[in-house]
Amino acid sequence: MAFHSYVLRSRKDGRFYYGSTSALSSRIIAHNCGRVRSTKGRRPWVVWFFEEFQTKREARQRESFYKSIDGYHWLKDKGIIP
């Protein structure tokens, strides 16, 4: 089983959301159907970037990294976020 950390971008306001999951496609559907409270008001979402990991722990750590200042700079340096 693969685990993913991901970056979504709102088509409504251009803001980003960072998350992790074991089922990326169904998780995106949940975000776009309004089943995720924190993203419900900024639908629709597109997958902007994702990475695959072998363990849930690695994916969660990467999600936390995205949310950190170092992760923000890494995402900017790679051109993933503007």
Side-chain angles (χ1 to χ4, degrees), residues 31-80:
H31 282 291
N32 282 321
C33 288
R35 293 193 303 252
V36 180
R37 182 183 294 173
S38 60
T39 61
K40 186 176 183 177
R42 295 187 285 150
R43 296 178 287 166
W45 294 94
V46 293
V47 177
W48 201 252
F49 174 76
F50 70 92
E51 294 179 285
E52 187 173 305
F53 298 93
Q54 295 296 315
T55 67
K56 182 178 182 176
R57 183 173 187 238
E58 290 172 313
R60 299 286 298 256
Q61 286 176 333
R62 193 61 164 183
E63 174 190 352
S64 293
F65 173 70
Y66 295 158
K67 294 175 179 179
S68 73
I69 192 65
D70 289 335
Y72 171 79
H73 289 297
W74 182 85
L75 289 166
K76 283 192 73 79
D77 290 345
K78 298 288 184 188
I80 297 166

Side-chain angles (χ1 to χ4, degrees), residues 18-33:
Y18 310 107
S20 60
T21 186
S22 61
L24 187 58
S25 59
S26 62
R27 186 65 175 157
I28 303 312
I29 292 168
H31 282 291
N32 282 321
C33 288

Side-chain angles (χ1 to χ4, degrees), residues 9-25:
R9 187 166 195 179
S10 169
R11 286 189 174 163
K12 181 177 181 180
D13 62 11
R15 292 176 62 187
F16 293 95
Y17 176 84
Y18 310 107
S20 60
T21 186
S22 61
L24 187 58
S25 59

